[in-house]
């Protein structure tokens, strides 16, 4: 918590304890090492004037080429008898200053060009970017050499040359990002707020581009120092007697075999400097990477970690079925707080059955779906308890290999956005045949035939020709059909569909729903259908489970739940839905917001919004009370049919 | 509610759109020829009366958002005219964008994306007050308080950043921003599509109240028929860049003339509705790069005849009563 406030003193401390910037950086040992080395070098370089060093430029022919650890000359002397330690420190100072200034200049002009090109677009963009392309068409170092040749040798000219050749790099990077940002809605909104183009560019877009500029700078400073050293090495940068790391290296080169330390010492310094800057720069980049920022300190692994109490694994229910989820709990660890996204969910799916899971955004529907096959990213997620049985086999105890085989095999997923499932660079046919052959060894020709069958099965006209289409050549509805075909490729027993029609138009949605409904009848596959739309539930689900704050609050057959909801939340939720043909119906909103799952109240999670709340509701666990085999409600004072919320 | 506001809606047109067309692409290429062109909106004519809510429905890509952007001047029509209260809106958008922004405002579909993630709510809401009104610092402060009150947000939200808000709260901020400069017309582009049903109801109720309080006129765009039905006085159904049907909300939903409107209505899922009408999967939208010569809906229409394939029906080909039109040769429910 203190770290969070420390890194962002201006903002009030947030409720969730996310790791602070410094904590994240220190967690990365390479970056920390880089930072320490870099800080040390910078400190020494800055302190050069006050350190008891001999003048770096005073020659002493009598003392030439003294070895390391000589008296008075800790690092020896060069061919003119100058003290190497002093030259090294003063030289590092110069190299650092030149590298940093070149970076700042390149970043300033490059970003400016990129911002203007990306925002203005059209002709301005074309002209700027063609100019930049021309600069980039020359080999990098050649261009720098040419510039120095024109301007004449000298440290300052070398600096300009290095800055100039790096401008295109910044310009391109920043232009791409600006282009993306200027199509964003907030830019249109600023325009409608009366802001002028320069105001929009510098006050709205620039703050969003700034992190990228910083990242690009931190990853290029090292190279710029190296390039300056290169120019100096060739005698085009620092002029004698001034020392910088490159020129020291260049002077030492002539006597590399007689007195290697004269060149090795600046060489090592360049290495240490560039290496530490790059390690630190990578660390900075990782921190500004929003995904890491979200709290995980390492990249997610391919399967959700299972950390459940071995003694407390629930047995399968009597109902058995294809999929039997028991008391499943999934948590996210973010900083020091734990989000109980799924808090003990029971689901049971029989063959050929379609079970709907409904609930508001953030109620834990997706996490429930993803947990079953271990698709929740770890970190920050983990399965903290419960079990999921696929035909009696405990999925949380299965080996990684087994899970890989089952994914896309017996259990298949269909997601909301088909583009996230389909690879844009491969044809539909290639992706389908791959899905088939990873689970069933067969010849390519046979797999292709099967792919055609699958596409026809999901009612794609001209299946044979469509095999060669790329995802972007298909409409949204077609793409979703392809995803369903892929899910069916290996005779899945369970289809988990997470809002598969939410992004589609109503007419296409009804086609897809009809298709899925037919398929489960034909193939006897069970469907876990996640949606927030009661209309969709009515159309396809046999049973429905309503989720609130990570738990199922009501379950029953679709008709039972829709016609006589017993949980006040379900009743309210149904009343919010506008119905076609009943425009006069007043929409009854639910006041307030769902509780945040890192801080659930004791007792009923809906208590703060419930019109029927009683003191008893806020005390102790409320269990899901099953009144029949299928019907259950988690409420102390359930509504009786007829009464309304 | 629609009964009431219908009476209030005077007959005078606030916004008139006439034969508006917007073509994307089609620029001259460097070496002769043209890039392919898409007609995003074509031959669109319509009036918005003062005080009414005009609902616009249609599938994705049918030109709803293009129409919206044309009305607020974020985009300019390729041809045709848009007049706002007797003034040429296109000319105004070119000459004095701020004058237009004072009269017509916009609410975006994605509430969070429409707020700059690096600005506080105060900065976001102050922008229109600074640039569009001549209020001084005190006046602005007072107006901010009024705005927050109007959209039901606590004053302490002012110092927060957009990511700290839920979708519903973010959309209220978007609405407050649109209200800031006191516009007459607000274009709402799918304002509740990204919200949960419970929150959607809150926002719809809020919009309803604001309309009464501030005497606003709305253009309400949505793909959700039931939402449009519940808020609109009149409805325009768009298909493939053109008007398919236009008429009073009640009539359109009770007696649709156009087969496409009918298809939309039958496809919409509703709680308690088990049967799903579903058309043949091969029925696809026409290719925008080579639009059909006749009715664009013909490929999906069960009523098509030779006539439909030969020439496009006029927007008022079918008429029912004084205010209900459809672009169809063989309208439903008429002999
Ligand atoms: N990768 C993650 N890291 C941290 N928290 C997460 C992550 N994914 C989900 N959560 C949290 O878990 C809870 C449940 O989220 P979930 O995505 O399951 O909701 P949902 O019901 O699917 O909502 P929606 O309707 O918006 O899809 C939320 O509080 C969410 O913030
Ligand atoms: S348990 Fe109490 S507070 Fe919770 S839903 Fe039931 S009546 Fe309302
Ligand atoms: S004009 Fe013809 S094809 Fe078009 S909608 Fe009417 S009946 Fe169908
Ligand atoms: Mg989800």
């Amino acid at each position: 918590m203190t770290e969070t406030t420390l890194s962002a003193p201006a903002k009030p401390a947030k409720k969730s304890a996310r790791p602070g910037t410094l904590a994240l950086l220190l967690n990365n040992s390479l970056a920390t090492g880089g930072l320490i080395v870099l800080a040390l070098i910078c400190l020494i370089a800055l302190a050069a004037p006050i350190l008891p060093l001999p003048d770096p430029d005073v020659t002493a022919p009598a003392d030439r080429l003294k070895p390391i650890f000589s008296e008075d000359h800790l690092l020896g002397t060069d061919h003119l008898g100058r003290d190497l330690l002093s030259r090294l420190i003063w030289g590092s100072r110069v190299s650092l200053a030149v590298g940093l200034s070149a970076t700042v200049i390149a970043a300033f002009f490059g970003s400016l060009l990129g911002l203007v090109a990306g925002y203005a677009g059209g002709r301005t963009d074309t002209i700027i970017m063609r100019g930049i392309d021309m600069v980039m068409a020359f080999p990098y170092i050649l261009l720098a050499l040419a510039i120095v040749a024109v301007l004449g040798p000298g440290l300052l000219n070398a600096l300009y040359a290095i800055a100039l050749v790096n401008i295109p790099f910044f310009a391109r990077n920043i232009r791409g990002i600006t282009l993306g940002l200027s199509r964003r809605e907030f830019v249109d909104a600023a325009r409608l707020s009366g802001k002028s183009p320069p105001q929009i560019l510098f006050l709205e877009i620039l703050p969003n581009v700034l992190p990228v500029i910083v990242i690009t700078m931190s990853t290029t400073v090292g190279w710029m120092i190296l390039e300056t050293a290169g120019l100096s090495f060739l005698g085009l940068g620092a002029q004698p007697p001034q020392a910088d790391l490159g020129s020291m290296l260049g002077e030492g080169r002539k006597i590399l075999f007689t007195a290697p330390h004269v060149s090795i010492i600046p060489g090592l310094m360049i290495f240490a400097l560039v290496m530490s800057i790059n390690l630190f720069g990578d660390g900075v980049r990782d921190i500004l990477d929003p995904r890491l920022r979200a709290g995980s300190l390492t990249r997610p692994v391919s399967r959700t970690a299972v950390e459940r109490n071995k003694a407390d694994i629930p047995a399968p229910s009597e109902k058995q079925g294809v999929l039997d989820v028991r008391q499943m709990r999934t948590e996210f660890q973010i900083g020091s707080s734990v989000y109980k996204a799924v808090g003990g969910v029971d689901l049971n799916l029989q063959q050929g059955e379609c079970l709907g899971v409904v609930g508001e955004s953030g109620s834990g529907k997706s996490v429930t779906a993803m947990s079953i096959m271990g698709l929740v990213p770890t970190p920050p997620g983990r399965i903290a308890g419960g079990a999921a049985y696929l035909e009696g086999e405990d999925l949380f105890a299965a080996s990684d290999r087994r899970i890989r085989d089952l994914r896309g095999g017996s259990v298949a997923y269909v997601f909301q956005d088909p583009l996230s499932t389909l690879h844009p660079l491969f044809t539909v046919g290639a992706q389908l045949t791959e899905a088939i052959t990873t689970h069933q060894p067969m010849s390519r020709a046979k797999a292709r035939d099967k792919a055609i069958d699958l596409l026809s099965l999901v009612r794609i006209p001209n299946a044979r020709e469509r095999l060669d289409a790329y995802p972007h050549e298909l409409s949204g509805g077609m793409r979703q059909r392809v995803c369903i075909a892929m899910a069916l490729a290996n005779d899945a027993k369970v289809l988990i569909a997470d809002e598969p029609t939410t992004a589609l138009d109503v007419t296409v949605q009804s086609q897809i729903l009809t298709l899925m409904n037919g398929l489960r009848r034909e193939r006897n596959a069970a469907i876990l259908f996640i949606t927030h739309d009661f209309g969709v539930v009515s159309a396809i689900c046999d049973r429905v489970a309503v989720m609130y704050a990570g738990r199922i609050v009501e379950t029953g057959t679709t008709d039972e739940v829709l016609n006589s909801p017993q949980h006040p939340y379900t009743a309210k939720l149904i009343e919010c839905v506008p119905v076609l043909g009943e425009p006069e119906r007043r929409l009854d909103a639910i006041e307030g917001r769902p509780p945040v799952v890192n801080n659930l109240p004791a007792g009923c999670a809906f208590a703060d919004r419930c019109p029927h709340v009683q003191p008893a509701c806020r005390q102790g666990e409320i269990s899901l009370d099953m009144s029949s085999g299928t019907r259950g409600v988690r409420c102390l004072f359930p509504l009786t049919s007829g009464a309304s919320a | 509610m629609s009964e009431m506001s219908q009476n209030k809606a005077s007959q005078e047109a606030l916004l008139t759109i006439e034969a508006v067309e917007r073509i994307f692409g089609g620029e001259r290429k460097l070496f002769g020829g043209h890039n392919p062109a898409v007609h995003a909106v074509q031959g669109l004519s319509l009036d918005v009366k003062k005080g009414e809510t005009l609902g616009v429905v249609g599938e994705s890509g049918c030109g709803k958002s293009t129409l919206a952007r044309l009305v607020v001047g974020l985009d300019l029509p390729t041809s045709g005219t848009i007049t706002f209260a007797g003034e040429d809106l296109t000319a105004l958008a070119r000459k004095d964008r701020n004058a237009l922004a004072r009269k017509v405002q916009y609410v975006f579909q994605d509430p969070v994306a429409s707020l700059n993630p690096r600005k506080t709510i105060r900065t976001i809401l102050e922008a229109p007050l600074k640039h569009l009104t001549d209020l001084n610092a005190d006046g602005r402060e007072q107006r901010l308080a009024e705005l927050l009150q109007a959209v039901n947000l606590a004053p302490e939200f002012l110092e927060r950043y957009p990511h700290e808000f839920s979708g519903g709260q973010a959309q209220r901020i978007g609405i407050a921003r649109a209200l800031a400069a006191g516009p007459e017309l607000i274009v709402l582009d799918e304002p509740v599509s990204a919200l949960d049903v419970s929150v959607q109801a809150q926002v719809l109720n809020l919009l309803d109240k604001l309309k009464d309080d501030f005497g606003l006129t709305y253009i309400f765009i949505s793909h959700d028929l039931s939402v449009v039905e519940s808020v609109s006085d009149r409805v325009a159904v768009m298909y493939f860049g053109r008007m398919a049907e236009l008429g009073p909300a009640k009539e359109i939903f009770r007696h649709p003339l156009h087969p496409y409107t009918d298809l939309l209505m039958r496809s919409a899922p509703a709680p308690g509705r088990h049967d799903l009408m579903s058309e043949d999967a091969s029925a696809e939208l026409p290719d925008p790069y080579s639009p059909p010569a006749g009715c664009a809906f013909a490929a999906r229409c069960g009523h098509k005849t030779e006539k439909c394939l030969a020439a496009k029906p006029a927007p008022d080909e079918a008429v029912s009563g004084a205010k209900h039109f459809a672009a169809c040769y063989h309208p439903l429910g008429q002999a």
Side-chain angles (χ1 to χ4, degrees), chain B residues 16 23 77 168 174 214 259 303:
Chain B
T16 310
I23 305 176
F214 296 99
H303 304 264

Side-chain angles (χ1 to χ4, degrees), chain A residues 18 294 330-334 339-342 357-370 376-377 379-381 416 498-499 530-532 547 550 595-598, chain B residues 196:
Chain A
R18 290 188 169 193
T330 308
E331 301 177 348
F332 293 97
Q333 176 89 43
I334 298 194
Y339 289 75
K340 296 185 174 148
V342 177
V357 179
V358 269
E360 285 177 276
S361 181
S363 58
K365 308 184 295 289
S366 298
V367 175
T368 302
M370 312 265 275
V376 175
Q416 173 172 348
D498 190 352
E499 312 243 9
I530 292 172
T531 177
H532 62 271
M547 278 191 83
V596 184
V597 286
N598 68 343
Chain B
D196 270 314

Side-chain angles (χ1 to χ4, degrees), chain B residues 258-259 295 297-298 301 303-305 308 313 327-330:
Chain B
H258 201 287
C295 172
F297 189 62
C301 183
H303 304 264
K304 67 167 171 282
T305 58
C308 308
C328 177
Y329 293 120
H330 312 291

Side-chain angles (χ1 to χ4, degrees), chain B residues 109-126:
Chain B
Q109 169 165 7
D110 185 340
V112 180
S114 74
L115 304 175
N116 190 336
R118 302 203 168 250
K119 306 264 162 178
T120 59
I121 302 311
R122 173 186 294 278
T123 327
I124 290 172
L125 289 182
E126 263 193 344

Side-chain angles (χ1 to χ4, degrees), chain B residues 16-233:
Chain B
T16 310
I17 297 174
E18 247 181 78
V20 159
E21 182 174 56
R22 176 70 174 101
I23 305 176
F24 289 109
E27 305 89 0
R28 291 269 296 279
K29 278 201 207 148
L30 201 53
F31 303 105
H34 290 267
N35 284 323
V38 180
H39 282 81
V41 164
Q42 214 175 357
L44 205 67
S45 297
L46 110 122
D47 277 350
V48 183
K49 308 210 163 47
K50 197 165 168 44
E52 79 170 340
T53 298
L54 176 77
V56 181
V57 281
E59 287 171 294
S60 66
C62 75
K64 301 189 297 280
S65 291
T66 307
L67 171 67
R69 295 173 61 88
L70 289 173
V71 171
V72 288
L74 282 174
D75 200 355
L76 300 175
T78 313
S79 69
T81 55
I82 307 178
T83 25
F84 182 85
E87 201 172 352
D88 184 348
L89 187 143
T90 316
L92 194 61
R94 282 212 183 86
K95 194 175 71 209
D96 184 358
R97 146 175 304 292
N98 286 5
L100 177 58
R102 264 172 227 130
K103 296 175 185 159
V104 186
Q105 276 292 339
Y106 196 77
V107 173
F108 294 84
Q109 169 165 7
D110 185 340
V112 180
S114 74
L115 304 175
N116 190 336
R118 302 203 168 250
K119 306 264 162 178
T120 59
I121 302 311
R122 173 186 294 278
T123 327
I124 290 172
L125 289 182
E126 263 193 344
L129 297 178
K130 259 192 199 139
H131 299 286
L132 300 177
T133 67
D134 33 55
L135 291 171
N136 59 14
D138 287 341
R140 286 205 296 269
E141 198 57 34
Q142 198 184 337
R143 180 89 182 125
L144 274 181
E146 284 168 20
L147 285 173
L148 285 191
Q149 169 111 46
V151 299
N152 240 331
L153 284 177
E156 57 261 28
F157 285 168
L158 278 179
E159 313 309 328
R160 303 236 193 125
Y161 287 85
H163 70 261
E164 298 175 43
F165 292 93
S166 69
Q169 291 173 326
Q171 195 57 292
R172 284 161 201 259
I173 296 165
I175 293 170
R177 170 173 56 195
L179 282 177
E184 290 173 62
L185 173 67
I186 299 187
V187 180
L188 304 137
D189 189 358
E190 304 260 12
V192 294
S193 308
L195 307 178
D196 270 314
V197 274
S198 62
V199 183
Q200 167 179 309
Q202 293 171 9
V203 171
L204 289 178
N205 289 344
L206 171 70
L207 285 172
D208 218 27
K209 175 174 166 291
L210 293 176
K211 188 180 164 189
D212 288 343
D213 289 358
F214 296 99
L216 299 168
T217 305
Y218 288 155
I219 296 181
F220 191 105
I221 297 176
S222 176
H223 67 274
D224 188 332
L225 293 178
S226 47
V227 169
V228 165
E229 188 191 23
S230 74
V231 301
S232 308
D233 301 309

Side-chain angles (χ1 to χ4, degrees), chain A residues 103 166 169-170 215-225 278:
Chain A
T103 310
N166 277 294
F169 180 63
F170 278 93
I215 292 174
T216 320
M217 281 173 75
S218 72
T219 46
T220 44
V221 179
W223 299 119
M224 301 231 195
I225 290 178
N278 285 350

Side-chain angles (χ1 to χ4, degrees), chain A residues 506 509 513 533-540 558-559 562 574 577-582 585, chain B residues 224 226 264-276:
Chain A
V506 274
Q509 165 169 290
L513 291 177
D533 187 335
F534 277 110
V536 172
V537 168
S538 286
I540 183 165
T558 305
D559 284 334
L562 285 180
I574 294 172
V577 185
V579 179
L580 201 59
E582 299 175 25
R585 175 176 149 143
Chain B
D224 188 332
S226 47
L264 280 180
M265 285 177 59
R266 282 183 298 134
S267 311
R273 181 161 163 184
H274 297 288
D275 57 316
L276 261 188

